[in-house]
Amino acid sequence: MPYTPTLALVALGLIVMVAIGVRVIRSLRRFASARTLVGDRVGDGVGLLKARSAALKVAFAERRRPEQARTRANPAYDRRGGGDRRITNG
């Protein structure tokens, strides 16, 4: 039978293709899980960096305010200086 070697080669080629396909799919799954892990870690790092940046902005803003504004209450509500000095409409 002259076509038997051809059928054997076709079957062998299909088996090799399936084996390669299985390995590629496994690699892609591992890559996807690694990509997710890296993305989560980078996202966490970006979140921490944003929080630190916001904290620094608050700290710098507090340093720029005058000392009186940081230590005393709002002077409009300061009752030690002679009563309530709030401005009222009426």
Side-chain angles (χ1 to χ4, degrees):
M1 304 230 183
Y3 54 87
T4 304
T6 304
L7 288 177
L9 284 176
V10 168
L12 181 65
L14 287 174
I15 291 170
V16 168
M17 281 182 50
V18 168
I20 291 173
V22 167
R23 292 183 89 187
V24 167
I25 289 172
R26 283 184 191 163
S27 296
L28 288 176
R29 285 183 184 165
R30 274 188 257 140
F31 175 75
S33 64
R35 183 187 62 202
T36 301
L37 180 64
V38 169
D40 290 345
R41 287 191 181 180
V42 168
D44 291 345
V46 168
L48 286 173
L49 188 60
K50 285 182 180 180
R52 288 178 182 164
S53 174
L56 283 173
K57 286 179 184 177
V58 169
F60 286 138
E62 286 180 356
R63 293 286 285 178
R64 278 188 238 131
R65 282 194 277 162
E67 184 67 27
Q68 182 182 8
R70 282 187 277 152
T71 57
R72 294 184 61 187
N74 186 346
Y77 292 93
D78 189 6
R79 294 176 189 263
R80 292 174 288 162
D84 190 359
R85 293 181 296 203
R86 285 183 280 183
I87 299 172
T88 59
N89 293 332

